[in-house]
Amino acid sequence: MKGKFISLEGGEGSGKTTAIAYIQQWLESNNIAYLMTREPGGTPLSEQIRELILTPRKEPVNNTTELLLVFAARAQHIAEKIQPALNQGLWVISDRFIDSSYVYQGKARNGDIQVLNQLTQWVVGENKPDATLVLDVPVEIGQQRVIERQHQDRLDKESTAFHQKVRDGFLERADAEPNRVKIIDASLSLEAVQQQIETQLNALKHAWSDSEGGA
Ligand SMILES: Nc1ncnc2c1ncn2[C@@H]1O[C@H](COP(=O)(O)OP(=O)(O)O)[C@@H](O)[C@H]1O
Ligand SMILES: [Mg+2]
């Protein structure tokens, strides 16, 4: 039986990494075997590419270069980690995945959506997430939450206008694919955010066990 793939999306400081820890507890208490991972990254080579992408540098980073680095990391991540885990029947949980490419390299950097669609078809193919939770917060709240971070990466350092496009981009992804992409109001308290996540996870578990029973 193939596993299930859930991605966590949202801007900087929306609470993705915090949510992942909560999801891990939920998976353990539900006795579901899982693999936690993140993008860009997830394998040693992909984590090296992550460093290349996120390290602040003097040299301007060309948009096409950034896009191809993200997809290069993703190709390795899928081949070496995600696909094998799904084939073993695990639930795979990724801190960011393909929607981040549409939002950052597409919407925020004006990347060509046709190119993104073609790369997605080529690199991701059948390994699209079964469900995606978008943690949505106003940009100012997200920025406030990460202000204490010691190391702001190259994307953290982008302008408020850039981060606004990121937020809008994720909301558009949810509008375009409402069955897969669910919005979590992440401006609320930790408890209220966790409650929404738990509701979504219970619904997914239920839907997926029903569809297996019927197959
Ligand atoms: N619902 C919340 N309310 C207040 N602070 C939060 C909430 N969720 C996360 N945080 C805090 O905000 C910061 C950023 O959260 P994090 O999970 O690292 O975001 P992301 O991974 O999306 O950038 C962390 O210090 C975290 O403890
Ligand atoms: Mg994070």
Side-chain angles (χ1 to χ4, degrees):
M1 192 89 60
K2 204 154 190 261
K4 293 293 178 187
F5 184 9
I6 301 176
S7 58
L8 267 285
E9 297 279 8
E12 328 296 328
S14 59
K16 297 177 298 298
T17 304
T18 307
I20 290 269
Y22 177 75
I23 292 171
Q24 184 164 4
Q25 284 176 29
W26 182 90
L27 290 163
E28 281 175 8
S29 60
N30 283 271
N31 285 315
I32 295 170
Y34 64 87
L35 173 81
M36 293 293 186
T37 190
R38 71 166 181 183
E39 286 213 337
T43 81
L45 171 55
S46 303
E47 289 287 331
Q48 284 188 314
I49 300 173
R50 177 191 179 92
E51 289 299 315
L52 294 177
I53 296 166
L54 293 177
T55 302
R57 60 184 76 239
K58 289 206 183 89
E59 179 184 356
V61 178
N62 176 267
N63 288 347
T64 304
T65 307
E66 181 180 289
L67 176 72
L68 292 174
L69 285 172
V70 168
F71 274 91
R74 179 167 297 134
Q76 183 71 11
H77 188 202
I78 292 170
E80 290 299 315
K81 201 166 173 187
I82 294 177
Q83 197 162 42
L86 290 172
N87 287 342
Q88 283 172 44
L90 305 185
W91 281 33
V92 174
I93 316 295
S94 188
D95 189 334
R96 295 194 182 282
F97 196 64
I98 188 70
D99 296 287
S100 280
S101 296
Y102 278 91
V103 166
Y104 284 80
Q105 284 75 44
K107 174 101 180 167
R109 300 221 193 272
N110 283 318
D112 184 332
I113 298 301
Q114 302 260 51
V115 169
L116 275 161
N117 286 339
Q118 284 171 358
L119 279 171
T120 301
Q121 184 56 38
W122 183 38
V123 172
V124 178
E126 297 304 302
N127 296 296
K128 273 187 78 174
D130 297 291
T132 297
L133 304 181
V134 169
L135 295 160
D136 178 55
V137 280
V139 170
E140 313 76 62
I141 297 183
Q143 286 183 326
Q144 203 57 45
R145 287 182 187 167
V146 294
I147 225 156
E148 290 135 39
R149 267 186 200 161
Q150 299 272 315
H151 303 288
Q152 295 239 318
D153 69 36
R154 197 171 57 83
L155 295 180
D156 290 334
K157 288 170 182 287
E158 287 283 354
S159 67
T160 301
F162 178 91
H163 291 293
Q164 189 62 53
K165 284 188 202 163
V166 167
R167 184 187 185 196
D168 295 344
F170 282 123
L171 294 174
E172 286 168 16
R173 299 293 292 162
D175 275 346
E177 289 187 63
N179 289 334
R180 173 177 66 91
V181 185
K182 306 294 179 193
I183 300 285
I184 304 288
D185 181 351
S187 66
L188 303 176
S189 69
L190 259 185
E191 294 70 31
V193 172
Q194 290 176 353
Q195 184 117 49
Q196 295 171 74
I197 292 171
E198 185 181 7
T199 301
Q200 293 293 344
L201 292 173
N202 285 329
L204 290 170
K205 185 186 171 204
H206 198 250
W208 291 339
S209 64
D210 280 357
S211 65
E212 277 164 21

